[in-house]
Amino acid sequence: MISEVETKERAVRLAQLQTEHRDLDDAIEALRNNPSSDQLQMARLKKRKLRLRDEIAIIQDQLIPDIIA
């Protein structure tokens, strides 16, 4: 079981990752709306967004205890 301090640290990290994920949504949408957008940059942003989603899921799993039925 993780300590209360670790739980708070992970919750803060989770909030940071979620904010970055939303910011990437905005950046990708802006590139999508720009006809002369850099496709390589868009691909990098999408890949980063996927990595963030995975990291968010890992932290959420650590913060939410398993319920044994």
Side-chain angles (χ1 to χ4, degrees):
M1 191 161 142
I2 59 176
S3 72
E4 188 175 326
V5 172
E6 289 174 319
T7 300
K8 288 180 182 179
E9 288 173 352
R10 289 179 184 171
V12 168
R13 179 69 180 143
L14 179 61
Q16 291 170 338
L17 292 173
Q18 290 170 330
T19 299
E20 186 176 350
H21 192 268
R22 281 190 301 272
D23 291 346
L24 283 173
D25 271 338
D26 295 340
I28 291 168
E29 187 62 31
L31 281 174
R32 195 174 284 141
N33 291 332
N34 183 353
S36 63
S37 65
D38 181 2
Q39 295 302 311
L40 182 59
Q41 179 66 18
M42 187 180 298
R44 287 178 180 152
L45 291 176
K46 286 180 177 181
K47 188 178 265 188
R48 173 71 180 146
K49 185 178 168 192
L50 289 173
R51 283 194 304 262
L52 284 173
R53 186 190 68 196
D54 292 343
E55 195 172 343
I56 288 169
I58 290 168
I59 294 174
Q60 286 174 331
D61 287 344
Q62 292 170 344
L63 291 175
I64 301 170
D66 290 336
I67 299 173
I68 300 172

